[in-house]
Amino acid sequence: CAKIDKIKIPNNVTSIGNYCFSWNGNLISANIQSNVTPGTNLFASCTKLENVILANITSISDSMFSGCSKLTTVQIPETVVNIGAYAFNNAGLTTIEIPAGVKMIGNDCFSGCTKLGDINSLPLNAPSLGTSVFGNSSTNYVGSRASVKRLDVPSNATGYESGGWKILQDIGFTIYKEL
């Protein structure tokens, strides 16, 4: 599938295997509209991937978009409850919105997303975090190359000032409770 530059997964597909589209150097666009279970490393290292449409999935699988350096944003569906380990590791994200239903974000999920400076987290209770979700050194912290560093959360949200979320404040993010 190395020559494929666009994919659209039909509604009758219920699962996609591990590594199915990974390391495709030509893939630019992916559209998954069905309630599909995505395999791990689904689009890993698709370095030209820049447009993704997702609907009705309940999880972003481990390493799903790891190494997708052209991917600056992803609209995560409201149906997602889990974002897997390394899901966006070393991706080109500049902004991300975490839907209200997300309960868990896996290890190193956003590690290496050095341009990610705009995070909107909609859950009222901060999602549980694995280790090093936002990086673990000055070379791979989120936002280390971003001019603006902000975390927007609902005005009555709890848990964002402590635990793994506190690292964002430690590396220069400002928390705004205004959503």
Side-chain angles (χ1 to χ4, degrees), residues 105-156:
I105 301 174
N107 299 345
D108 291 279
C109 181
F110 299 109
S111 178
C113 294
T114 58
K115 297 176 185 174
L116 179 57
D118 186 9
I119 302 171
N120 295 318
S121 190
L122 301 179
L124 290 178
N125 296 312
S128 298
L129 300 177
T131 60
S132 303
V133 168
F134 301 109
N136 60 12
S137 73
S138 61
T139 59
N140 71 359
Y141 279 134
V142 297
S144 62
R145 292 179 29 201
S147 56
V148 174
K149 298 177 185 179
R150 63 181 295 144
L151 169 63
D152 291 285
V153 300
S155 58
N156 54 345

Side-chain angles (χ1 to χ4, degrees), residues 30-99:
N31 184 336
I32 301 175
Q33 291 295 308
S34 62
N35 186 6
V36 68
T37 301
T40 61
N41 294 281
L42 189 62
F43 299 106
S45 297
C46 289
T47 56
K48 290 185 180 178
L49 184 63
E50 53 189 46
N51 182 28
V52 175
I53 298 171
L54 303 171
N56 300 318
I57 61 173
T58 57
S59 69
I60 302 293
S61 63
D62 292 349
S63 301
M64 189 166 173
F65 298 105
S66 180
C68 294
S69 54
K70 295 268 187 192
L71 191 61
T72 58
T73 190
V74 173
Q75 182 70 37
I76 299 174
E78 289 293 321
T79 52
V80 169
V81 294
N82 180 52
I83 301 175
Y86 299 90
F88 296 100
N89 177 263
N90 291 314
L93 295 177
T94 58
T95 184
I96 194 79
E97 182 171 286
I98 300 167

Side-chain angles (χ1 to χ4, degrees), residues 154-166:
S155 58
N156 54 345
T158 60
Y160 289 99
E161 294 87 1
S162 60
W165 289 94
K166 186 173 181 335

